[in-house]
Amino acid sequence: MTLACRKLAAHPQSAAQQHGGPWLVWLHGLLGSGEDWLPVAELCGDTPSLLVDLPGHGKSATLTTRGFADISRQLTQTLQANGIREYWLAGYSLGGRIAMYHACYGSHHGLQGLLVEGGNLGLESDELRLQRRQNDHQWAQRFRLEPLPQVLADWYQQAVFADLDAQQREQLVLLRANNSGPAVAEMLEATSLGHQPWLLPALQRLRIPYTYLCGERDHKFQQLAAQHKLPLRTLARAGHNAHRANPGAFAAQVLSFLSQSSFSPLSR
């Protein structure tokens, strides 16, 4: 089962395509789609991009997944179907968690590096994981049964979105209201943080370059990065969804990371 995606290249005959160089593969957050990455991807020079729609979202709305191992396999199949042999993997929030899992436990031959924006590393105790599964189940039931704009209005009141003002929340509700509530619910439960492994030990063993991007106003994930000594890159004038708030600065950080990592011993 392959995921819907969109290919993007600044120039059809770019050097990366001619020589089979690495692609940038982008994974969006819950309620989003691959198109969310378009403003950033268009600023990433000649590096070709693959904008992936995760199960339950965008043009993959009718697809389902059983969990992290399954979606990692779906991603591998999608890359193979698109002829991508070498790639950088970038993900935001849910997409970041999937990207980390894929890099740590998936079939990731050809993976050159990992870029994670505001992705949670997981929960360290069974009790916390159970609580999270119960919380996500409650949200999933709301997504299944209630009008989507009503649920979204409450969703964007969560603490992680505290940097948003009323107008920004309203814009996001309008933008995300075209999702399928039941499809989002299925994905939310399948990829609940309560089902995710604690990824820090595996991340620390990675033999590829990786970086952690975070908006300067995203206090929760700034603290997480500091606590676990993640290789943090901070984005100015941005909160949790930094690539949406400041795509130019985000693209600059991506290109800087790719340039530095291309000369790293770990990337060869």
Side-chain angles (χ1 to χ4, degrees), residues 8 92 178 190 220 264:
L8 179 72
Y92 160 66
N178 62 349
K220 174 181 177 179
S264 166

Side-chain angles (χ1 to χ4, degrees), residues 189-224:
E189 289 196 297
T191 57
S192 169
L193 198 62
H195 292 307
Q196 178 183 309
W198 172 239
L199 294 173
L200 182 62
L203 278 175
Q204 293 171 333
R205 293 192 297 268
L206 282 182
R207 299 298 298 164
I208 57 170
Y210 82 96
T211 194
Y212 195 87
L213 300 109
C214 190
E216 64 178 358
R217 297 196 293 268
D218 189 351
H219 302 300
K220 174 181 177 179
F221 286 94
Q222 288 272 355
Q223 182 179 2
L224 183 148

